[in-house]
């Protein structure tokens, strides 16, 4: 049972901008920083964004993220075919005393 | 180059226990907290718990308390997950992952995953 809510799907044509939202609560997104993970089907998730809006080394700058209150968002600018994957937001939840993940969003490149 | 290498796939019968392992190379296991995350077929990610390799203190998700045990062997840089009383809905890919601190749990390296199939 996911605590963070995401839209199940998002899509766009190559070059378009796609935005994914993540809705949480005061005990998770409202308290701690958000991560975003990218998972290509059949492979392990990879850290895409940490600290609300920071990219690990090697992550293209077309990926950006932000947070406001108890919601966060991930934007993919200049969508490319290799961006087709599942995306999960995540944060520590103080009330549950554990990591919580979003429901996941499947991004399709049309 | 940090690598987390997990043990191979398992096929288990309902009611049995399974023990999975995750060996770290390229970094000192004791420097990081280790997490277990699972993913049922076609489903999302589910956090199971965390272990501090130094001292072995653990924190488990409420859902798994009483059925899960996480342990560490610093001599082999290995963490293990044991899940008991297996049910069909425990069929999933189980991942280990590491974070530098507990909060935030930024999982910057993941194992390749271990498929556990529970079937009679």
């Amino acid at each position: 049972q996911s605590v963070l809510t995401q839209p199940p799907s998002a899509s766009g044509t190559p070059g378009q901008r796609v935005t994914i939202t993540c809705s949480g609560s005061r005990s998770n997104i409202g308290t701690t920083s958000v991560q975003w993970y990218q998972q290509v089907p059949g492979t392990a998730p990879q850290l895409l964004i940490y600290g609300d809006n920071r990219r690990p080394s090697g992550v293209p700058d077309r990926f950006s993220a932000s947070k406001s209150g108890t919601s966060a968002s991930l934007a993919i600018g200049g969508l490319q075919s290799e961006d087709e994957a599942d995306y999960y937001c995540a944060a520590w939840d103080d009330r549950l005393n554990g990591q919580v993940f979003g429901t996941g969003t499947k991004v399709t490149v049309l | 180059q940090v690598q987390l290498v997990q043990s191979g796939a398992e096929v288990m019968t309902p009611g049995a226990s399974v023990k999975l392992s995750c060996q770290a190379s390229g970094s000192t296991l004791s420097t990081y907290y280790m997490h277990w995350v699972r993913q049922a077929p076609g489903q999302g990610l589910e956090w199971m718990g965390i272990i501090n390799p130094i001292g072995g203190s653990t924190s488990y998700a409420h859902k798994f308390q009483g059925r899960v045990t996480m342990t560490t062997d610093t001599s082999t840089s290995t963490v293990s997950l044991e899940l008991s009383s297996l049910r069909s809905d425990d069929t999933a890919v189980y991942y280990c992952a590491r974070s530098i601190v507990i909060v935030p749990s930024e999982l910057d390296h993941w194992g390749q995953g271990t498929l556990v199939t529970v079937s009679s």
Side-chain angles (χ1 to χ4, degrees):
Chain A
Q1 62 285 7
S2 298
V3 175
L4 306 181
T5 303
Q6 300 177 231
S9 63
S11 62
T13 56
Q16 274 192 325
R17 179 182 177 88
V18 169
T19 301
I20 302 166
T21 57
C22 173
S23 177
S25 66
R26 197 160 41 185
S27 64
N28 42 67
I29 294 178
T31 301
T32 63
S33 62
V34 176
Q35 309 104 53
W36 290 89
Y37 297 88
Q38 179 191 59
Q39 186 180 32
V40 174
T43 69
Q46 288 193 319
L47 182 65
L48 191 68
I49 297 286
Y50 68 98
D52 293 336
N53 55 19
R54 301 183 177 192
R55 290 185 305 274
S57 172
V59 173
D61 60 7
R62 66 177 181 275
F63 291 95
S64 61
S66 62
K67 185 178 85 171
S68 178
T70 59
S71 293
S73 64
L74 173 72
I76 310 173
L79 195 63
Q80 298 186 10
S81 57
E82 60 260 38
D83 300 333
E84 195 159 276
D86 296 318
Y87 293 82
Y88 295 91
C89 58
W92 188 266
D93 191 293
D94 275 354
R95 182 176 60 85
L96 298 174
N97 195 35
Q99 179 84 333
V100 291
F101 288 95
T103 48
T105 299
K106 182 177 182 60
V107 169
T108 302
V109 182
L110 302 171
Chain B
Q1 181 76 351
V2 176
Q3 270 199 311
L4 300 176
V5 180
Q6 298 186 230
S7 50
E10 303 271 8
V11 179
M12 311 300 296
T13 54
S17 298
V18 68
K19 189 170 185 177
L20 312 179
S21 66
C22 169
Q23 186 171 37
S25 64
S27 71
T28 304
L29 182 67
S30 58
T31 309
Y32 300 93
Y33 293 88
M34 297 299 294
H35 304 246
W36 288 90
V37 176
R38 77 177 187 179
Q39 185 172 37
Q43 303 300 308
L45 302 172
E46 182 175 33
W47 184 80
M48 300 181 70
I50 183 175
I51 183 167
N52 180 352
I54 300 177
S57 61
T58 55
S59 179
Y60 304 136
H62 180 75
K63 174 178 179 177
F64 300 103
Q65 286 177 8
R67 278 209 306 144
V68 68
T69 304
M70 296 179 188
T71 55
T72 181
D73 182 347
T74 54
S75 68
T76 60
S77 295
T78 300
V79 293
S80 298
L81 168 77
E82 184 168 15
L83 188 62
S84 63
S85 303
L86 289 169
R87 307 184 290 255
S88 58
D89 62 359
D90 290 318
T91 293
V93 175
Y94 290 75
Y95 295 101
C96 62
R98 72 168 203 187
S99 66
I100 296 175
V101 296
I102 298 176
V103 183
S105 282
E106 296 164 350
L107 305 176
D108 64 353
H109 283 83
W110 295 64
Q112 84 277 18
T114 297
L115 174 62
V116 175
T117 303
V118 182
S119 173
S120 54

